[in-house]
Short mmCIF file of all heavy atoms in Angstrom, two decimals:
data_model
loop_
_atom_site.label_atom_id
_atom_site.label_comp_id
_atom_site.label_asym_id
_atom_site.label_seq_id
_atom_site.Cartn_x
_atom_site.Cartn_y
_atom_site.Cartn_z
N LEU A 7 0.83 -1.21 0.00
CA LEU A 7 0.00 0.00 0.00
C LEU A 7 0.86 1.25 0.00
O LEU A 7 0.58 2.22 -0.71
CB LEU A 7 -0.94 0.02 1.21
CG LEU A 7 -2.09 -0.95 1.19
CD1 LEU A 7 -2.88 -0.85 2.49
CD2 LEU A 7 -3.01 -0.69 0.01
N GLN A 8 1.93 1.23 0.80
CA GLN A 8 2.84 2.37 0.86
C GLN A 8 3.52 2.59 -0.49
O GLN A 8 3.61 3.71 -0.98
CB GLN A 8 3.88 2.15 1.95
CG GLN A 8 4.82 3.32 2.13
CD GLN A 8 5.86 3.05 3.20
OE1 GLN A 8 6.34 1.93 3.34
NE2 GLN A 8 6.22 4.07 3.94
N ARG A 9 4.01 1.52 -1.09
CA ARG A 9 4.65 1.64 -2.41
C ARG A 9 3.67 2.22 -3.43
O ARG A 9 4.00 3.13 -4.19
CB ARG A 9 5.14 0.28 -2.89
CG ARG A 9 6.43 -0.18 -2.28
CD ARG A 9 6.94 -1.44 -2.96
NE ARG A 9 6.20 -2.62 -2.56
CZ ARG A 9 6.53 -3.42 -1.56
NH1 ARG A 9 7.60 -3.16 -0.84
NH2 ARG A 9 5.80 -4.47 -1.28
N ASP A 10 2.44 1.68 -3.44
CA ASP A 10 1.45 2.16 -4.40
C ASP A 10 1.11 3.63 -4.18
O ASP A 10 0.98 4.40 -5.13
CB ASP A 10 0.17 1.32 -4.33
CG ASP A 10 0.36 -0.08 -4.90
OD1 ASP A 10 1.38 -0.31 -5.59
OD2 ASP A 10 -0.51 -0.92 -4.68
N ALA A 11 0.99 4.04 -2.93
CA ALA A 11 0.66 5.44 -2.63
C ALA A 11 1.81 6.37 -3.02
O ALA A 11 1.58 7.46 -3.56
CB ALA A 11 0.32 5.59 -1.15
N LEU A 12 3.03 5.95 -2.76
CA LEU A 12 4.18 6.82 -3.03
C LEU A 12 4.61 6.85 -4.49
O LEU A 12 5.17 7.85 -4.95
CB LEU A 12 5.37 6.39 -2.17
CG LEU A 12 5.22 6.63 -0.66
CD1 LEU A 12 6.37 5.98 0.08
CD2 LEU A 12 5.16 8.12 -0.37
N TRP A 13 4.40 5.76 -5.21
CA TRP A 13 4.95 5.65 -6.55
C TRP A 13 3.92 5.69 -7.67
O TRP A 13 4.28 5.51 -8.83
CB TRP A 13 5.80 4.39 -6.65
CG TRP A 13 7.01 4.49 -5.79
CD1 TRP A 13 7.16 4.02 -4.52
CD2 TRP A 13 8.24 5.15 -6.11
NE1 TRP A 13 8.40 4.33 -4.04
CE2 TRP A 13 9.09 5.03 -5.00
CE3 TRP A 13 8.70 5.84 -7.23
CZ2 TRP A 13 10.37 5.56 -4.97
CZ3 TRP A 13 9.98 6.36 -7.21
CH2 TRP A 13 10.80 6.22 -6.09
N SER A 14 2.65 5.91 -7.37
CA SER A 14 1.64 6.02 -8.42
C SER A 14 1.58 7.46 -8.91
O SER A 14 1.77 8.39 -8.14
CB SER A 14 0.27 5.56 -7.90
OG SER A 14 0.31 4.16 -7.67
N ASP A 15 1.31 7.62 -10.19
CA ASP A 15 1.34 8.95 -10.81
C ASP A 15 0.11 9.21 -11.66
O ASP A 15 -0.32 8.34 -12.43
CB ASP A 15 2.56 9.07 -11.74
CG ASP A 15 3.87 8.91 -11.00
OD1 ASP A 15 4.05 9.58 -9.97
OD2 ASP A 15 4.71 8.11 -11.45
N PRO A 16 -0.44 10.44 -11.59
CA PRO A 16 -1.50 10.81 -12.52
C PRO A 16 -0.91 11.08 -13.90
O PRO A 16 0.25 11.46 -14.03
CB PRO A 16 -2.06 12.09 -11.90
CG PRO A 16 -0.93 12.67 -11.13
CD PRO A 16 -0.12 11.50 -10.65
N THR A 17 -1.71 10.81 -14.94
CA THR A 17 -1.29 11.11 -16.32
C THR A 17 -2.45 11.75 -17.06
O THR A 17 -3.57 11.81 -16.55
CB THR A 17 -0.88 9.83 -17.08
OG1 THR A 17 -2.04 9.03 -17.28
CG2 THR A 17 0.17 9.04 -16.35
N ASP A 18 -2.20 12.21 -18.25
CA ASP A 18 -3.26 12.76 -19.09
C ASP A 18 -3.98 11.67 -19.87
O ASP A 18 -5.05 11.90 -20.42
CB ASP A 18 -2.68 13.79 -20.08
CG ASP A 18 -2.17 15.03 -19.36
OD1 ASP A 18 -2.73 15.37 -18.30
OD2 ASP A 18 -1.21 15.65 -19.86
N GLU A 19 -3.40 10.47 -19.93
CA GLU A 19 -3.99 9.36 -20.67
C GLU A 19 -5.08 8.69 -19.85
O GLU A 19 -4.98 8.59 -18.63
CB GLU A 19 -2.93 8.33 -21.03
CG GLU A 19 -1.85 8.87 -21.94
CD GLU A 19 -0.78 7.84 -22.22
OE1 GLU A 19 -1.12 6.65 -22.37
OE2 GLU A 19 0.39 8.22 -22.28
N LEU A 20 -6.13 8.23 -20.52
CA LEU A 20 -7.21 7.53 -19.84
C LEU A 20 -6.77 6.14 -19.42
O LEU A 20 -5.92 5.52 -20.05
CB LEU A 20 -8.44 7.43 -20.74
CG LEU A 20 -9.08 8.75 -21.16
CD1 LEU A 20 -10.25 8.49 -22.09
CD2 LEU A 20 -9.51 9.56 -19.96
N GLY A 21 -7.35 5.64 -18.34
CA GLY A 21 -7.09 4.28 -17.90
C GLY A 21 -6.10 4.19 -16.76
O GLY A 21 -5.69 5.21 -16.18
N CYS A 22 -5.74 2.96 -16.45
CA CYS A 22 -4.82 2.66 -15.36
C CYS A 22 -3.88 1.56 -15.84
O CYS A 22 -4.34 0.55 -16.37
CB CYS A 22 -5.62 2.21 -14.14
SG CYS A 22 -4.63 1.92 -12.68
N TYR A 23 -2.59 1.75 -15.67
CA TYR A 23 -1.63 0.78 -16.16
C TYR A 23 -0.36 0.83 -15.31
O TYR A 23 -0.19 1.75 -14.50
CB TYR A 23 -1.30 1.02 -17.64
CG TYR A 23 -1.06 2.48 -17.96
CD1 TYR A 23 0.21 3.01 -17.91
CD2 TYR A 23 -2.12 3.32 -18.32
CE1 TYR A 23 0.43 4.34 -18.20
CE2 TYR A 23 -1.91 4.65 -18.60
CZ TYR A 23 -0.63 5.16 -18.54
OH TYR A 23 -0.41 6.49 -18.80
N LEU A 24 0.50 -0.15 -15.45
CA LEU A 24 1.73 -0.21 -14.68
C LEU A 24 2.56 1.04 -14.88
O LEU A 24 2.70 1.53 -16.01
CB LEU A 24 2.54 -1.44 -15.05
CG LEU A 24 1.94 -2.79 -14.67
CD1 LEU A 24 2.81 -3.92 -15.19
CD2 LEU A 24 1.76 -2.89 -13.17
N ASN A 25 3.11 1.54 -13.80
CA ASN A 25 3.95 2.73 -13.86
C ASN A 25 5.31 2.35 -14.46
O ASN A 25 5.93 1.38 -14.02
CB ASN A 25 4.12 3.28 -12.44
CG ASN A 25 4.73 4.65 -12.41
OD1 ASN A 25 5.66 4.94 -13.17
ND2 ASN A 25 4.24 5.49 -11.54
N PRO A 26 5.79 3.11 -15.42
CA PRO A 26 7.09 2.78 -16.02
C PRO A 26 8.26 2.91 -15.04
O PRO A 26 9.34 2.42 -15.31
CB PRO A 26 7.22 3.77 -17.18
CG PRO A 26 6.23 4.84 -16.93
CD PRO A 26 5.16 4.25 -16.08
N ARG A 27 8.03 3.52 -13.86
CA ARG A 27 9.10 3.64 -12.87
C ARG A 27 9.34 2.33 -12.13
O ARG A 27 10.27 2.22 -11.36
CB ARG A 27 8.79 4.75 -11.87
CG ARG A 27 8.79 6.11 -12.51
CD ARG A 27 8.82 7.22 -11.51
NE ARG A 27 7.60 7.28 -10.70
CZ ARG A 27 7.52 7.93 -9.55
NH1 ARG A 27 8.57 8.56 -9.07
NH2 ARG A 27 6.41 7.97 -8.88
N GLY A 28 8.46 1.34 -12.33
CA GLY A 28 8.68 0.04 -11.73
C GLY A 28 7.88 -0.26 -10.49
O GLY A 28 7.97 -1.35 -9.94
N ALA A 29 7.12 0.69 -10.00
CA ALA A 29 6.27 0.45 -8.83
C ALA A 29 5.05 1.35 -8.95
O ALA A 29 5.09 2.39 -9.59
CB ALA A 29 7.02 0.76 -7.54
N GLY A 30 3.95 0.94 -8.32
CA GLY A 30 2.74 1.73 -8.40
C GLY A 30 2.11 1.64 -9.78
O GLY A 30 2.45 0.77 -10.58
N VAL A 31 1.19 2.54 -10.06
CA VAL A 31 0.49 2.59 -11.33
C VAL A 31 0.48 4.01 -11.87
O VAL A 31 0.76 4.96 -11.15
CB VAL A 31 -0.97 2.08 -11.20
CG1 VAL A 31 -1.01 0.63 -10.79
CG2 VAL A 31 -1.78 2.94 -10.25
N SER A 32 0.13 4.14 -13.12
CA SER A 32 -0.17 5.43 -13.72
C SER A 32 -1.67 5.42 -13.97
O SER A 32 -2.22 4.44 -14.45
CB SER A 32 0.57 5.62 -15.04
OG SER A 32 1.97 5.68 -14.81
N PHE A 33 -2.36 6.51 -13.60
CA PHE A 33 -3.81 6.55 -13.74
C PHE A 33 -4.23 7.85 -14.39
O PHE A 33 -3.63 8.90 -14.18
CB PHE A 33 -4.50 6.37 -12.39
CG PHE A 33 -4.09 7.41 -11.36
CD1 PHE A 33 -4.82 8.57 -11.21
CD2 PHE A 33 -2.99 7.22 -10.56
CE1 PHE A 33 -4.46 9.54 -10.28
CE2 PHE A 33 -2.60 8.16 -9.63
CZ PHE A 33 -3.34 9.33 -9.49
#
């Protein structure tokens, strides 16, 4: 949960996918 909270990033693209930084997601 901590990793996901710290390493997830908002993007301009629709959807949710793996974050290219290696942890969390891009949404």
Side-chain angles (χ1 to χ4, degrees):
L7 288 177
Q8 183 182 36
R9 281 188 285 268
D10 288 346
L12 292 172
W13 293 95
S14 291
D15 298 310
T17 68
D18 293 330
E19 298 177 37
L20 297 178
C22 184
Y23 45 91
L24 292 176
N25 192 319
R27 293 194 294 163
V31 297
S32 294
F33 58 92

